């Protein structure tokens, strides 16, 4: 918390000094304001991560119910449309041709998918591609793949630990908490979140959960 707070405080102090001068440099002020807002958003993300960790450590009870992964994935992907469109990144959902039902907590599954998509968007170059793949077999699975730099073999378990990040993400926003939160949420639902070895560029992260029967009343809305 201290690092982004100190950075934000310094930017606001410089901005205040600039605006109090007789001839403020508005261009510099706009740049400083943009950087301050970026730090503010970074702090907001950290607050969400720390709240998630506190809930996990407190063993807060999670729901367990049938969730249709296709409907949930489309809703979460829509949250990223503006940011991906601005950078020319194509994001798509690759389903199995039929609904894929998993047993779990809807808010936690959506949180894991947001974590994976946020990471994918940050590492994917402008004009790249991101995909969410859904499959069912012995388990229901949701995979997010990107066209970023990938993850070094020696870092593929390290990145799931708290406050640990891969070398490929150095210089980017983040605190190394997302994947740790995602893996713990998956385990609390009786599933797993793993990095998948594969041929080709980028990274693949897969969430596996127990299969569920579709409820007779239809899909459960995602809150």
């Amino acid at each position: 918390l201290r690092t982004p707070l100190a950075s934000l405080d310094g930017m606001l102090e410089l901005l205040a000094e600039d605006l109090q001068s007789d001839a403020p440099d508005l261009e510099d002020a706009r740049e400083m304001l943009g950087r301050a807002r970026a730090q503010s958003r970074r702090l907001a993300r950290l607050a969400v991560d720390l709240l998630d960790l506190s809930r996990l450590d407190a063993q807060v009870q999670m729901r367990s119910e049938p969730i249709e992964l296709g409907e949930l994935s489309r809703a979460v992907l829509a949250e990223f449309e503006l940011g991906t469109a601005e950078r020319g990144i194509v994001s798509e959902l690759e389903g199995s041709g039929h609904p894929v039902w998993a047993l779990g907590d809807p808010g936690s599954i959506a949180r894991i998918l947001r974590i994976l998509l946020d990471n994918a968007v940050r590492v994917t170059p402008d004009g790249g591609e991101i995909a969410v793949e859904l499959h069912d077999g012995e388990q229901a699975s949701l995979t997010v793949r990107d066209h970023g730099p990938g993850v070094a073999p020696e870092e593929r378990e390290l990145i799931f630990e708290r406050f640990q990040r891969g070398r490929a993400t150095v210089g980017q926003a983040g605190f190394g908490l997302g994947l740790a939160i995602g893996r713990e949420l998956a385990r609390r639902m009786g599933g797993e979140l793993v990095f998948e070895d594969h041929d080709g560029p980028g990274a693949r992260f897969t969430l596996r959960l127990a299969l569920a029967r579709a409820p007779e009343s239809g899909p459960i809305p995602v809150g």
Side-chain angles (χ1 to χ4, degrees):
L1 283 168
R2 285 196 299 266
T3 300
L5 277 173
S7 178
L8 179 59
D9 184 63
M11 291 175 189
L12 292 176
E13 185 175 347
L14 290 172
L15 179 60
E17 290 177 358
D18 199 2
L19 294 178
Q20 288 170 2
S21 66
D22 294 334
D25 185 339
L26 294 182
E27 187 62 32
D28 184 65
R30 292 188 188 99
E31 180 183 349
M32 199 66 65
L33 178 60
R35 291 167 60 187
R37 292 181 65 187
Q39 288 296 333
S40 176
R41 290 191 292 268
R42 191 171 181 230
L43 278 168
R45 287 195 297 269
L46 177 58
V48 171
D49 287 346
L50 292 175
L51 180 59
D52 282 343
L53 287 177
S54 69
R55 287 171 174 163
L56 288 169
D57 291 342
Q59 299 293 308
V60 174
Q61 187 67 33
M62 298 173 67
R63 294 157 60 186
S64 183
E65 56 195 55
I67 307 297
E68 205 288 287
L69 295 182
E71 178 179 320
L72 182 146
S73 297
R74 282 187 287 271
V76 176
L77 278 166
E79 299 173 12
F80 289 80
E81 283 181 353
L82 180 60
T84 54
E86 288 177 347
R87 296 177 50 201
I89 295 175
V90 177
S91 58
E92 57 185 4
L93 175 63
E94 299 178 359
S96 61
H98 58 270
V100 176
W101 289 88
L103 189 65
D105 178 87
S108 296
I109 297 174
R111 177 73 171 114
I112 293 170
L113 181 53
R114 290 187 186 103
I115 289 168
L116 297 180
L117 286 173
D118 184 62
N119 288 347
V121 169
R122 278 191 277 163
V123 301
T124 296
D126 293 356
E129 297 179 2
I130 295 171
V132 177
E133 305 172 8
L134 304 179
H135 299 283
D136 57 1
E138 295 184 0
Q139 293 177 296
S141 69
L142 181 158
T143 297
V144 174
R145 73 171 193 266
D146 62 58
H147 279 194
V151 182
E154 65 273 15
E155 296 178 342
R156 292 175 182 177
E157 282 302 312
L158 180 69
I159 57 176
F160 286 101
E161 297 180 10
R162 296 183 182 188
F163 298 104
Q164 297 293 332
R165 304 177 66 196
R167 289 193 301 270
T169 61
V170 172
Q172 298 179 6
F175 295 90
L177 289 172
L179 290 175
I181 292 169
R183 173 165 280 187
E184 182 63 23
L185 288 172
R187 287 173 172 170
R188 290 281 305 278
M189 291 185 288
E192 61 178 352
L193 177 63
V194 299
F195 176 90
E196 282 200 84
D197 289 325
H198 67 287
D199 296 325
R204 292 172 61 95
F205 290 90
T206 296
L207 170 65
R208 299 191 183 102
L209 296 166
L211 287 171
R213 286 186 178 182
E216 295 181 2
S217 58
I220 297 173
V222 179

